[in-house]
């Protein structure tokens, strides 16, 4: 009897097709809209495998109603949408997609930093709206990246990739991480700093840490108050790591220069969110890994993990 796989968003057929030869595949038919909770619970109840997105909540309640479930494969590096302990208790394997999105996400992070520093989004919007009337001596002036000091919070694979790019701009790189990266320090000249020191010295602060109980809400009013008034704040990690109200206040009162955001505490971000009203905020719709090559590579990892588990083979990138 074929085993049943449920996919929670419409994915390209080239990513899904190899599963259809051996298994029964059901898939939510919308790409832009997530599967409703009741549908997900109903489908999970008879599924042997779930192919999930970061926006899907796979909690204990759902897991306990899925007696056949063998594997949950998440289309992301992060997996805070899944109750890992509940899955582990039930013997369900959980996998993710590390490594393949490192360089793509680093490109996006660096691009967002450049957009924010040079006010590119603001300038582009004004041009399209007909607001640009003439060149002016101080029109749309921004901050230089060249020879600036970059502070990276969370020096994992993506953090190191961003730091390597920064050296091409002759930037000095500080980093704060749970563990020291001695090899990177000696090889690339990156400098470890305590969080307060990093915030006080950096011209750009970029968050690349995972969302954990330790990092949730770690950056708030006290931390933003330590930053330079000319500094930019960039978040391409998880929105819940920062206090968005405190960030808004720091930006609105011009206590920091600008912010570039690819992630938010609630996604999609509400259109009436105060941060969207500020001209010194550059926003993107969570597109850190959004290159064709990378997304297809992520899907390949998920598909192979599902096929391996259902065939009784140990999968790569196992979390439980």
């Amino acid at each position: 009897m074929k085993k049943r796989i449920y996919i929670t968003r419409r994915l390209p057929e080239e990513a899904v097709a190899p599963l259809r030869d051996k298994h029964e595949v059901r898939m939510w038919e919308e790409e832009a809209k997530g599967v409703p909770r009741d549908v997900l619970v109903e489908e999970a109840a008879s599924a042997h495998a779930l192919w999930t997105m970061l926006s899907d909540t796979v909690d204990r309640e759902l897991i306990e109603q899925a007696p056949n479930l063998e594997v949950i494969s998440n289309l992301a590096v992060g997996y805070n949408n899944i109750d890992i302990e509940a899955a582990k208790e039930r013997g369900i394997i959980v996998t993710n997609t590390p490594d393949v999105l490192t360089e793509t996400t680093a490109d996006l992070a660096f691009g967002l930093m450049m957009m924010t520093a040079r006010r590119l989004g603001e300038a582009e919007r004004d041009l399209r709206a007909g607001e640009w009337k003439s060149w002016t001596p101080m029109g749309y002036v921004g901050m230089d990246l060249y020879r600036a000091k970059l502070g990276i919070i969370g020096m994992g694979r993506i953090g190191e990739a961003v730091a390597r790019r920064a050296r091409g701009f002759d930037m000095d790189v500080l980093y704060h991480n749970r563990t020291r990266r001695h090899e990177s320090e000696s090889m690339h000249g990156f400098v470890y700093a305590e969080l307060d020191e990093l915030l006080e010295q950096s011209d750009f602060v970029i968050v690349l840490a995972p969302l954990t109980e330790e990092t949730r809400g770690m950056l708030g009013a006290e931390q933003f108050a330590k930053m330079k008034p000319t500094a930019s704040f960039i978040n391409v990690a998880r929105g819940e790591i920062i206090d968005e109200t405190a960030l808004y206040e720091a930006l609105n009162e011009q206590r920091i220069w600008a912010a570039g955001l690819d992630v938010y505490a609630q996604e999609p971000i509400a259109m009436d969110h105060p941060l969207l009203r500020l001209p010194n905020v550059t926003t993107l719709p969570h597109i850190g890994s959004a290159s064709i090559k990378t997304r297809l590579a992520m899907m390949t990892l998920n598909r192979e993990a599902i096929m391996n588990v259902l065939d009784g083979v140990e999968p790569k990138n196992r979390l439980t």
Side-chain angles (χ1 to χ4, degrees):
M1 187 179 78
K2 290 185 175 182
K3 292 188 174 181
R4 192 174 184 202
I5 301 165
Y6 186 67
I7 306 171
T8 63
R9 292 280 178 121
R10 180 167 58 84
L11 300 180
E13 184 58 26
E14 64 184 287
V16 177
L19 294 173
R20 299 189 189 278
D21 295 336
K22 293 182 64 176
H23 305 288
E24 176 190 349
V25 178
R26 292 175 59 82
M27 180 166 58
W28 179 245
E29 286 302 317
E30 295 192 51
E31 181 180 6
K33 180 182 177 183
V35 59
R37 171 70 178 184
D38 60 334
V39 174
L40 177 57
V41 171
E42 181 180 354
E43 293 286 353
S46 59
H48 296 87
L50 288 178
W51 189 343
T52 57
M53 315 297 126
L54 193 61
S55 55
D56 300 317
T57 299
V58 184
D59 54 16
R60 181 175 293 275
E61 178 188 25
L62 183 147
I63 288 170
E64 289 180 348
Q65 296 181 61
N68 300 320
L69 196 57
E70 298 179 37
V71 58
I72 303 165
S73 199
N74 211 41
L75 188 68
V77 173
Y79 47 88
N80 50 288
N81 58 311
I82 300 171
D83 189 327
I84 295 294
E85 286 305 312
K88 190 173 183 179
E89 289 171 16
R90 298 292 296 272
I92 298 168
I93 293 173
V94 180
T95 71
N96 64 342
T97 60
D99 301 334
V100 295
L101 50 69
T102 296
E103 300 300 333
T104 299
T105 305
D107 283 348
L108 187 283
F110 210 86
L112 182 56
M113 185 163 61
M114 295 180 70
M115 286 183 66
T116 302
R118 294 297 304 273
R119 300 170 62 184
L120 301 185
E122 182 183 355
E124 198 267 352
R125 289 191 301 271
D126 283 359
L127 185 149
R128 287 180 180 272
E131 298 294 330
W132 182 50
K133 305 300 182 183
S134 172
W135 180 90
T136 57
M138 295 301 287
Y140 302 107
V141 294
M143 297 293 173
D144 287 320
L145 275 73
Y146 180 63
R147 290 189 173 173
K149 184 167 288 187
L150 171 62
I152 297 176
I153 301 173
M155 196 62 144
R157 296 183 184 93
I158 299 171
E160 291 198 4
V162 170
R164 292 196 306 271
R165 286 158 174 75
R167 299 315 298 267
F169 284 72
D170 282 351
M171 300 179 84
D172 291 327
V173 178
L174 300 178
Y175 78 93
H176 179 74
N177 200 59
R178 184 171 53 185
T179 56
R180 292 281 294 270
R181 303 295 187 191
H182 295 287
E183 184 177 345
S184 296
E185 291 176 21
S186 60
M187 184 179 299
H188 301 291
F190 308 150
V191 177
Y192 176 82
E194 294 297 335
L195 182 59
D196 286 354
E197 179 187 1
L198 181 149
L199 294 169
E200 291 165 0
Q201 294 188 17
S202 298
D203 300 302
F204 296 89
V205 174
I206 183 165
V207 182
L208 292 162
L211 178 63
T212 65
E213 288 309 308
E214 290 74 27
T215 62
R216 187 182 299 274
M218 71 179 294
L219 297 169
E222 180 181 349
Q223 287 71 39
F224 294 129
K226 297 180 186 299
M227 291 175 61
K228 299 178 181 180
T230 55
S232 293
F233 177 80
I234 311 295
N235 189 8
V236 292
R238 289 289 180 267
E240 298 94 323
I241 293 173
I242 69 171
D243 180 335
E244 290 180 342
T245 299
L247 177 62
Y248 168 80
E249 291 171 353
L251 290 162
N252 189 49
E253 296 168 10
Q254 298 183 340
R255 288 185 273 114
I256 62 176
W257 171 259
L261 307 173
D262 186 44
V263 291
Y264 313 91
Q266 295 293 327
E267 297 185 0
I269 187 171
M271 288 295 94
D272 60 353
H273 196 293
L275 283 168
L276 298 184
R277 299 200 296 265
L278 296 176
N280 56 343
V281 175
T282 301
T283 56
L284 297 176
H286 201 151
I287 57 171
S289 63
S291 77
I292 295 171
K293 179 180 177 181
T294 295
R295 287 286 170 85
L296 290 175
M298 292 167 68
M299 292 174 195
T300 297
L301 288 181
N302 285 149
R303 182 184 68 240
E304 289 179 349
I306 290 171
M307 293 177 72
N308 284 340
V309 173
L310 297 185
D311 287 344
V313 177
E314 179 67 18
K316 295 179 180 179
N317 308 314
R318 180 172 178 170
L319 299 168
T320 59

